[in-house]
Amino acid sequence: MHTLDVDLTRLARRRNRSIRLATMVLTAASWGSGLAMAAENTLSVPTLTVQAGTSASSFETDGVIQAVRQATVAAQVGGSVVELAVRAGDRVHAGQKLARIDERDTQTGVSRSEAGVAQAQAELNNIQLQTQRTRDLHRQGYISQGALDQAEAQLKAAEASLKGAQASQSQAHLARGFAQVNAPFDGVVLATHLDQGDLAAPGRPILTLYVPGALRAVVQVGASRQEAAKHATQIQLRLPDGRWVAPKSVQSLPGTDPIAQTMEWRLPLTDAGTMQPGQTVRVRFAGAPTPAADRNAARLLIPADALLRRGELSAVYVVREGHFALTAVRTGADQGQAGIEVLAGLKAGERIARDPIRAGLTHAVPAP
Protein backbone atom coordinates (compact mmCIF):
# COMPACT_ATOMS: atom_id res chain seq x y z
CA MET A 1 0.00 0.00 0.00
CA HIS A 2 2.82 2.32 0.84
CA THR A 3 4.65 1.54 -2.44
CA LEU A 4 1.51 2.35 -4.49
CA ASP A 5 1.15 5.78 -2.87
CA VAL A 6 4.74 6.62 -3.70
CA ASP A 7 4.25 5.72 -7.36
CA LEU A 8 1.11 7.83 -7.64
CA THR A 9 2.88 10.82 -6.13
CA ARG A 10 5.72 10.54 -8.62
CA LEU A 11 3.29 10.36 -11.55
CA ALA A 12 1.48 13.46 -10.32
CA ARG A 13 4.77 15.40 -10.08
CA ARG A 14 5.78 14.34 -13.55
CA ARG A 15 2.42 15.45 -14.94
CA ASN A 16 2.71 18.86 -13.27
CA ARG A 17 6.19 19.36 -14.69
CA SER A 18 4.92 18.47 -18.17
CA ILE A 19 2.06 20.92 -17.84
CA ARG A 20 4.39 23.73 -16.69
CA LEU A 21 6.79 22.98 -19.56
CA ALA A 22 4.00 23.04 -22.11
CA THR A 23 2.73 26.32 -20.67
CA MET A 24 6.20 27.90 -20.92
CA VAL A 25 6.53 26.75 -24.54
CA LEU A 26 3.14 28.20 -25.48
CA THR A 27 3.91 31.45 -23.69
CA ALA A 28 7.25 31.79 -25.46
CA ALA A 29 5.58 31.05 -28.79
CA SER A 30 2.93 33.71 -28.19
CA TRP A 31 5.61 36.27 -27.20
CA GLY A 32 7.57 35.47 -30.33
CA SER A 33 4.43 35.82 -32.47
CA GLY A 34 3.58 39.17 -30.85
CA LEU A 35 7.10 40.49 -31.41
CA ALA A 36 6.98 39.32 -35.01
CA MET A 37 3.62 41.05 -35.57
CA ALA A 38 4.89 44.27 -33.96
CA ALA A 39 7.98 44.14 -36.18
CA GLU A 40 5.82 43.66 -39.23
CA ASN A 41 3.50 46.62 -38.33
CA THR A 42 6.37 49.05 -37.60
CA LEU A 43 6.94 51.67 -40.33
CA SER A 44 10.45 53.08 -40.45
CA VAL A 45 10.57 56.64 -41.77
CA PRO A 46 13.87 58.26 -42.84
CA THR A 47 14.87 61.45 -41.03
CA LEU A 48 17.25 64.34 -41.52
CA THR A 49 19.04 66.67 -39.15
CA VAL A 50 18.21 70.35 -39.51
CA GLN A 51 21.33 72.37 -40.21
CA ALA A 52 21.91 76.10 -40.16
CA GLY A 53 23.10 77.54 -43.44
CA THR A 54 23.27 80.74 -45.41
CA SER A 55 20.94 81.83 -48.19
CA ALA A 56 20.73 84.66 -50.60
CA SER A 57 18.68 87.68 -49.68
CA SER A 58 15.15 87.15 -50.96
CA PHE A 59 11.54 87.64 -49.97
CA GLU A 60 8.10 86.61 -51.09
CA THR A 61 4.86 88.56 -51.25
CA ASP A 62 1.37 88.20 -52.65
CA GLY A 63 0.20 89.75 -55.91
CA VAL A 64 -3.14 90.09 -57.65
CA ILE A 65 -3.85 89.07 -61.23
CA GLN A 66 -5.16 91.87 -63.43
CA ALA A 67 -6.03 92.12 -67.09
CA VAL A 68 -3.64 94.20 -69.17
CA ARG A 69 -6.60 95.58 -71.12
CA GLN A 70 -9.71 96.13 -69.06
CA ALA A 71 -12.54 98.64 -69.33
CA THR A 72 -15.48 99.59 -67.15
CA VAL A 73 -18.43 100.35 -69.41
CA ALA A 74 -20.60 103.09 -67.91
CA ALA A 75 -23.91 104.66 -68.81
CA GLN A 76 -23.87 107.94 -70.74
CA VAL A 77 -27.57 108.74 -70.31
CA GLY A 78 -29.97 108.37 -67.43
CA GLY A 79 -32.88 105.96 -67.25
CA SER A 80 -33.94 102.51 -66.11
CA VAL A 81 -32.09 99.47 -67.42
CA VAL A 82 -34.74 97.66 -69.46
CA GLU A 83 -32.41 94.92 -70.74
CA LEU A 84 -29.11 93.39 -69.65
CA ALA A 85 -28.06 91.20 -72.56
CA VAL A 86 -24.96 89.55 -71.04
CA ARG A 87 -23.82 87.91 -67.83
CA ALA A 88 -20.47 87.56 -66.09
CA GLY A 89 -18.26 85.14 -68.01
CA ASP A 90 -19.87 85.72 -71.42
CA ARG A 91 -17.64 86.36 -74.42
CA VAL A 92 -18.65 89.41 -76.48
CA HIS A 93 -17.56 90.97 -79.75
CA ALA A 94 -16.88 94.62 -80.52
CA GLY A 95 -20.17 96.41 -81.20
CA GLN A 96 -22.31 93.72 -79.58
CA LYS A 97 -25.27 94.95 -77.50
CA LEU A 98 -24.57 94.70 -73.79
CA ALA A 99 -27.50 96.59 -72.24
CA ARG A 100 -30.37 98.86 -73.17
CA ILE A 101 -31.58 101.85 -71.20
CA ASP A 102 -35.12 103.27 -71.33
CA GLU A 103 -34.99 105.66 -74.28
CA ARG A 104 -38.35 107.43 -73.92
CA ASP A 105 -36.75 110.48 -72.37
CA THR A 106 -34.11 110.68 -75.10
CA GLN A 107 -36.79 110.16 -77.76
CA THR A 108 -38.67 113.15 -76.34
CA GLY A 109 -35.48 115.16 -76.69
CA VAL A 110 -35.18 114.11 -80.32
CA SER A 111 -38.76 115.23 -81.06
CA ARG A 112 -38.18 118.55 -79.30
CA SER A 113 -35.00 119.17 -81.28
CA GLU A 114 -36.70 118.34 -84.57
CA ALA A 115 -39.42 120.85 -83.78
CA GLY A 116 -36.79 123.46 -82.99
CA VAL A 117 -35.10 122.82 -86.37
CA ALA A 118 -38.41 123.19 -88.19
CA GLN A 119 -39.14 126.46 -86.41
CA ALA A 120 -35.67 127.86 -87.13
CA GLN A 121 -35.98 126.84 -90.79
CA ALA A 122 -39.33 128.61 -91.12
CA GLU A 123 -37.98 131.78 -89.54
CA LEU A 124 -34.99 131.67 -91.85
CA ASN A 125 -37.17 131.29 -94.92
CA ASN A 126 -39.28 134.30 -93.87
CA ILE A 127 -36.24 136.48 -93.19
CA GLN A 128 -34.67 135.46 -96.51
CA LEU A 129 -37.74 136.73 -98.35
CA GLN A 130 -37.77 140.00 -96.39
CA THR A 131 -34.08 140.50 -97.02
CA GLN A 132 -34.52 139.97 -100.74
CA ARG A 133 -37.30 142.61 -100.88
CA THR A 134 -35.14 145.01 -98.89
CA ARG A 135 -32.32 144.53 -101.39
CA ASP A 136 -34.67 145.28 -104.29
CA LEU A 137 -35.99 148.44 -102.63
CA HIS A 138 -32.47 149.59 -101.81
CA ARG A 139 -31.43 149.06 -105.43
CA GLN A 140 -34.37 151.22 -106.52
CA GLY A 141 -33.43 153.90 -104.00
CA TYR A 142 -36.51 153.62 -101.79
CA ILE A 143 -34.70 152.67 -98.54
CA SER A 144 -31.42 153.62 -96.98
CA GLN A 145 -28.24 151.62 -96.63
CA GLY A 146 -28.85 151.32 -92.87
CA ALA A 147 -32.14 149.50 -93.44
CA LEU A 148 -30.39 147.06 -95.79
CA ASP A 149 -27.62 146.42 -93.26
CA GLN A 150 -30.19 145.67 -90.58
CA ALA A 151 -31.96 143.19 -92.85
CA GLU A 152 -28.67 141.47 -93.67
CA ALA A 153 -27.88 141.16 -89.94
CA GLN A 154 -31.29 139.59 -89.25
CA LEU A 155 -30.63 137.09 -92.04
CA LYS A 156 -27.28 136.02 -90.52
CA ALA A 157 -28.89 135.68 -87.08
CA ALA A 158 -31.60 133.42 -88.54
CA GLU A 159 -28.99 131.26 -90.26
CA ALA A 160 -27.07 130.91 -86.96
CA SER A 161 -30.26 129.96 -85.14
CA LEU A 162 -30.89 127.21 -87.68
CA LYS A 163 -27.38 125.83 -87.23
CA GLY A 164 -27.86 125.83 -83.44
CA ALA A 165 -31.14 123.96 -83.77
CA GLN A 166 -29.52 121.42 -86.10
CA ALA A 167 -26.69 120.90 -83.58
CA SER A 168 -29.23 120.29 -80.82
CA GLN A 169 -30.94 117.79 -83.07
CA SER A 170 -27.66 115.92 -83.66
CA GLN A 171 -26.98 115.87 -79.93
CA ALA A 172 -30.45 114.48 -79.23
CA HIS A 173 -29.97 111.71 -81.79
CA LEU A 174 -26.56 110.92 -80.28
CA ALA A 175 -28.06 110.71 -76.78
CA ARG A 176 -30.72 108.35 -78.07
CA GLY A 177 -27.96 106.18 -79.49
CA PHE A 178 -26.38 105.98 -76.03
CA ALA A 179 -29.51 104.23 -74.80
CA GLN A 180 -28.02 101.04 -76.22
CA VAL A 181 -24.68 100.15 -74.66
CA ASN A 182 -22.33 98.25 -76.98
CA ALA A 183 -19.04 96.43 -76.38
CA PRO A 184 -15.98 98.60 -77.14
CA PHE A 185 -13.78 95.57 -78.00
CA ASP A 186 -13.73 91.78 -78.09
CA GLY A 187 -13.47 90.39 -74.58
CA VAL A 188 -15.04 88.61 -71.62
CA VAL A 189 -17.51 90.08 -69.14
CA LEU A 190 -15.71 90.15 -65.81
CA ALA A 191 -18.61 91.48 -63.71
CA THR A 192 -21.96 93.24 -64.05
CA HIS A 193 -22.69 96.16 -61.74
CA LEU A 194 -26.38 96.78 -62.60
CA ASP A 195 -29.38 94.51 -63.07
CA GLN A 196 -32.51 94.91 -65.13
CA GLY A 197 -34.70 97.54 -63.50
CA ASP A 198 -31.85 99.45 -61.85
CA LEU A 199 -31.53 103.15 -62.50
CA ALA A 200 -28.62 104.09 -64.72
CA ALA A 201 -27.03 107.52 -64.54
CA PRO A 202 -24.27 109.17 -66.60
CA GLY A 203 -20.97 107.77 -65.39
CA ARG A 204 -22.46 104.91 -63.36
CA PRO A 205 -20.72 101.57 -64.21
CA ILE A 206 -22.82 98.92 -65.91
CA LEU A 207 -20.27 96.13 -66.40
CA THR A 208 -16.53 95.41 -66.70
CA LEU A 209 -14.85 93.83 -69.72
CA TYR A 210 -11.36 92.43 -70.13
CA VAL A 211 -9.30 90.78 -72.85
CA PRO A 212 -8.42 87.20 -71.78
CA GLY A 213 -4.90 85.87 -72.20
CA ALA A 214 -3.12 89.17 -71.61
CA LEU A 215 -2.77 89.14 -67.81
CA ARG A 216 -0.29 90.58 -65.35
CA ALA A 217 0.48 90.26 -61.66
CA VAL A 218 0.34 93.49 -59.68
CA VAL A 219 2.44 93.54 -56.49
CA GLN A 220 2.57 96.20 -53.80
CA VAL A 221 6.14 96.24 -52.45
CA GLY A 222 6.83 98.03 -49.17
CA ALA A 223 9.33 100.84 -48.93
CA SER A 224 11.67 98.75 -46.74
CA ARG A 225 12.00 96.15 -49.51
CA GLN A 226 12.41 98.43 -52.49
CA GLU A 227 16.17 98.04 -52.72
CA ALA A 228 15.98 94.25 -52.50
CA ALA A 229 13.29 94.20 -55.20
CA LYS A 230 15.21 96.55 -57.50
CA HIS A 231 18.46 94.54 -57.23
CA ALA A 232 16.83 91.09 -57.42
CA THR A 233 18.42 88.95 -60.12
CA GLN A 234 15.47 86.57 -60.27
CA ILE A 235 11.76 87.36 -60.10
CA GLN A 236 9.32 84.47 -60.28
CA LEU A 237 5.60 83.88 -59.88
CA ARG A 238 4.05 80.74 -58.46
CA LEU A 239 1.01 79.62 -60.45
CA PRO A 240 -1.90 77.69 -58.87
CA ASP A 241 -0.54 74.43 -60.32
CA GLY A 242 2.71 74.91 -58.35
CA ARG A 243 4.93 76.00 -61.23
CA TRP A 244 7.33 78.92 -60.79
CA VAL A 245 7.49 81.05 -63.95
CA ALA A 246 9.34 84.22 -64.88
CA PRO A 247 7.34 87.26 -66.01
CA LYS A 248 7.56 88.59 -69.54
CA SER A 249 8.85 91.93 -68.27
CA VAL A 250 9.11 93.97 -65.08
CA GLN A 251 7.70 97.45 -64.60
CA SER A 252 7.96 99.49 -61.41
CA LEU A 253 5.72 102.55 -61.23
CA PRO A 254 7.52 105.68 -60.00
CA GLY A 255 4.87 106.82 -57.54
CA THR A 256 4.56 105.74 -53.89
CA ASP A 257 1.28 105.31 -52.07
CA PRO A 258 1.27 108.08 -49.43
CA ILE A 259 -0.72 106.00 -46.93
CA ALA A 260 0.56 102.43 -47.38
CA GLN A 261 4.08 103.52 -48.40
CA THR A 262 4.22 100.91 -51.16
CA MET A 263 5.21 100.97 -54.80
CA GLU A 264 3.33 99.09 -57.49
CA TRP A 265 5.16 96.49 -59.59
CA ARG A 266 3.56 95.10 -62.74
CA LEU A 267 4.67 91.70 -64.02
CA PRO A 268 3.05 90.61 -67.32
CA LEU A 269 2.64 86.83 -67.59
CA THR A 270 3.92 84.83 -70.53
CA ASP A 271 1.69 81.86 -69.73
CA ALA A 272 -1.41 82.70 -67.70
CA GLY A 273 -2.93 79.22 -68.05
CA THR A 274 -6.38 79.14 -66.48
CA MET A 275 -5.82 82.15 -64.24
CA GLN A 276 -8.42 84.90 -64.10
CA PRO A 277 -8.39 88.51 -62.91
CA GLY A 278 -8.75 88.79 -59.16
CA GLN A 279 -6.79 85.65 -58.27
CA THR A 280 -3.79 85.89 -55.97
CA VAL A 281 -0.34 84.71 -56.92
CA ARG A 282 2.87 84.30 -54.93
CA VAL A 283 5.78 86.43 -56.15
CA ARG A 284 9.41 85.83 -55.18
CA PHE A 285 12.22 88.37 -55.45
CA ALA A 286 15.54 86.51 -55.11
CA GLY A 287 19.24 87.04 -55.71
CA ALA A 288 19.58 90.53 -54.27
CA PRO A 289 22.85 91.36 -52.44
CA THR A 290 22.59 90.38 -48.78
CA PRO A 291 22.36 93.39 -46.45
CA ALA A 292 25.44 93.96 -44.29
CA ALA A 293 23.47 93.27 -41.12
CA ASP A 294 22.47 89.81 -42.38
CA ARG A 295 25.66 88.61 -44.04
CA ASN A 296 26.75 86.57 -41.04
CA ALA A 297 23.26 85.40 -40.08
CA ALA A 298 22.63 81.67 -40.33
CA ARG A 299 19.23 80.46 -41.48
CA LEU A 300 17.50 77.10 -41.24
CA LEU A 301 16.61 75.47 -44.55
CA ILE A 302 14.59 72.28 -44.96
CA PRO A 303 13.50 70.43 -48.12
CA ALA A 304 10.12 71.41 -49.46
CA ASP A 305 8.87 67.81 -49.36
CA ALA A 306 9.56 67.62 -45.61
CA LEU A 307 7.05 70.39 -44.95
CA LEU A 308 3.40 69.54 -44.28
CA ARG A 309 0.88 72.17 -45.41
CA ARG A 310 -2.76 72.06 -44.36
CA GLY A 311 -4.53 75.28 -45.25
CA GLU A 312 -2.75 78.08 -43.42
CA LEU A 313 -0.82 75.63 -41.20
CA SER A 314 2.80 74.67 -41.93
CA ALA A 315 4.32 71.93 -39.80
CA VAL A 316 6.98 69.20 -39.66
CA TYR A 317 7.29 65.93 -37.75
CA VAL A 318 10.10 66.26 -35.19
CA VAL A 319 11.70 63.24 -33.48
CA ARG A 320 10.82 63.33 -29.75
CA GLU A 321 11.93 60.41 -27.52
CA GLY A 322 11.89 57.89 -30.33
CA HIS A 323 8.56 59.04 -31.80
CA PHE A 324 7.32 61.70 -34.20
CA ALA A 325 5.66 64.84 -32.87
CA LEU A 326 3.85 67.28 -35.15
CA THR A 327 5.33 70.76 -34.68
CA ALA A 328 4.07 73.97 -36.28
CA VAL A 329 6.66 76.17 -37.98
CA ARG A 330 6.71 79.60 -39.55
CA THR A 331 8.29 79.58 -42.98
CA GLY A 332 10.04 82.28 -44.95
CA ALA A 333 11.14 82.48 -48.54
CA ASP A 334 11.35 79.50 -50.84
CA GLN A 335 14.99 79.22 -51.91
CA GLY A 336 14.30 76.75 -54.70
CA GLN A 337 16.60 73.71 -54.66
CA ALA A 338 18.23 74.93 -51.44
CA GLY A 339 14.95 74.45 -49.58
CA ILE A 340 12.44 76.51 -47.66
CA GLU A 341 13.56 78.93 -44.98
CA VAL A 342 12.23 78.24 -41.46
CA LEU A 343 11.90 81.34 -39.32
CA ALA A 344 10.46 79.82 -36.14
CA GLY A 345 9.50 76.44 -34.67
CA LEU A 346 12.76 74.54 -35.29
CA LYS A 347 16.30 74.63 -33.97
CA ALA A 348 19.53 73.52 -35.57
CA GLY A 349 20.36 69.90 -34.72
CA GLU A 350 16.78 68.66 -34.44
CA ARG A 351 15.73 65.63 -36.48
CA ILE A 352 12.65 65.78 -38.70
CA ALA A 353 10.91 63.26 -40.93
CA ARG A 354 11.72 63.40 -44.63
CA ASP A 355 8.25 62.12 -45.50
CA PRO A 356 5.60 63.88 -43.36
CA ILE A 357 2.77 61.78 -44.81
CA ARG A 358 4.29 58.46 -43.68
CA ALA A 359 5.43 59.98 -40.39
CA GLY A 360 1.82 60.71 -39.49
CA LEU A 361 0.80 57.04 -39.63
CA THR A 362 0.13 55.11 -36.39
CA HIS A 363 3.12 52.71 -36.48
CA ALA A 364 5.66 55.20 -37.87
CA VAL A 365 8.99 55.31 -36.05
CA PRO A 366 12.21 57.20 -36.87
CA ALA A 367 14.71 55.22 -38.90
CA PRO A 368 18.03 54.59 -37.08
Side-chain angles (χ1 to χ4, degrees):
M1 190 69 178
H2 180 71
T3 303
L4 180 61
D5 293 339
V6 172
D7 291 339
L8 291 175
T9 302
R10 289 177 178 176
L11 288 174
R13 290 177 178 176
R14 289 177 181 176
R15 186 182 62 181
N16 292 336
R17 285 199 299 268
S18 298
I19 292 175
R20 287 196 298 269
L21 180 60
T23 303
M24 292 175 63
V25 171
L26 291 175
T27 303
S30 63
W31 286 353
S33 177
L35 292 174
M37 291 179 61
E40 291 178 358
N41 293 332
T42 298
L43 179 62
S44 180
V45 180
T47 62
L48 62 92
T49 302
V50 179
Q51 299 290 343
T54 58
S55 61
S57 176
S58 63
F59 68 92
E60 293 183 8
T61 184
D62 290 326
V64 179
I65 298 298
Q66 290 183 356
V68 175
R69 186 179 183 187
Q70 179 174 309
T72 299
V73 181
Q76 293 181 269
V77 293
S80 298
V81 178
V82 296
E83 181 184 4
L84 189 62
V86 295
R87 296 178 298 178
D90 290 350
R91 288 184 173 270
V92 298
H93 303 286
Q96 179 179 335
K97 181 176 69 174
L98 303 177
R100 186 165 59 87
I101 301 173
D102 189 358
E103 59 182 8
R104 287 177 295 179
D105 187 33
T106 56
Q107 181 59 44
T108 301
V110 170
S111 300
R112 187 184 303 112
S113 64
E114 290 177 348
V117 170
Q119 180 181 359
Q121 183 66 55
E123 292 178 355
L124 176 62
N125 293 337
N126 184 32
I127 293 178
Q128 284 178 340
L129 293 176
Q130 293 179 2
T131 303
Q132 185 60 42
R133 286 193 292 269
T134 302
R135 290 171 181 167
D136 294 339
L137 292 174
H138 178 267
R139 193 167 38 252
Q140 296 174 7
Y142 292 107
I143 59 175
S144 63
Q145 182 64 37
L148 177 61
D149 294 342
Q150 184 178 2
E152 294 287 353
Q154 291 177 350
L155 176 61
K156 292 180 180 179
E159 291 175 347
S161 296
L162 178 60
K163 290 181 179 180
Q166 291 173 341
S168 298
Q169 184 184 26
S170 298
Q171 185 177 8
H173 280 285
L174 185 63
R176 186 178 63 178
F178 290 150
Q180 177 171 308
V181 181
N182 299 324
F185 50 78
D186 295 346
V188 176
V189 180
L190 179 62
T192 57
H193 309 296
L194 293 180
D195 292 325
Q196 184 175 350
D198 287 342
L199 181 63
R204 184 176 182 182
I206 297 178
L207 51 85
T208 302
L209 290 176
Y210 76 96
V211 177
L215 302 178
R216 66 189 176 199
V218 177
V219 185
Q220 304 296 333
V221 180
S224 60
R225 292 179 168 177
Q226 285 302 317
E227 290 301 319
K230 290 179 180 179
H231 295 92
T233 58
Q234 187 182 46
I235 300 177
Q236 292 180 311
L237 303 95
R238 186 186 181 111
L239 301 182
D241 58 5
R243 292 182 297 128
W244 286 94
V245 298
K248 185 187 303 183
S249 60
V250 178
Q251 179 186 9
S252 174
L253 300 188
T256 301
D257 189 296
I259 298 176
Q261 288 297 299
T262 57
M263 289 181 63
E264 182 174 311
W265 288 63
R266 295 179 177 178
L267 312 173
L269 300 177
T270 55
D271 179 16
T274 59
M275 299 195 71
Q276 296 179 352
Q279 287 183 307
T280 59
V281 62
R282 196 68 176 169
V283 181
R284 178 170 63 198
F285 295 83
T290 306
D294 297 336
R295 284 174 186 169
N296 298 324
R299 305 180 183 183
L300 298 181
L301 296 175
I302 64 173
D305 55 4
L307 187 66
L308 183 67
R309 297 183 186 272
R310 291 293 183 268
E312 298 297 327
L313 173 67
S314 298
V316 295
Y317 279 97
V318 182
V319 178
R320 307 282 190 203
E321 299 180 355
H323 299 281
F324 288 115
L326 186 64
T327 303
V329 296
R330 183 164 60 91
T331 59
D334 187 345
Q335 303 294 340
Q337 295 182 351
I340 297 178
E341 184 179 347
V342 177
L343 304 178
L346 278 181
K347 294 184 295 184
E350 289 185 312
R351 292 170 61 201
I352 64 173
R354 284 185 175 271
D355 188 346
I357 303 300
R358 297 178 62 193
L361 299 178
T362 304
H363 301 290
V365 294

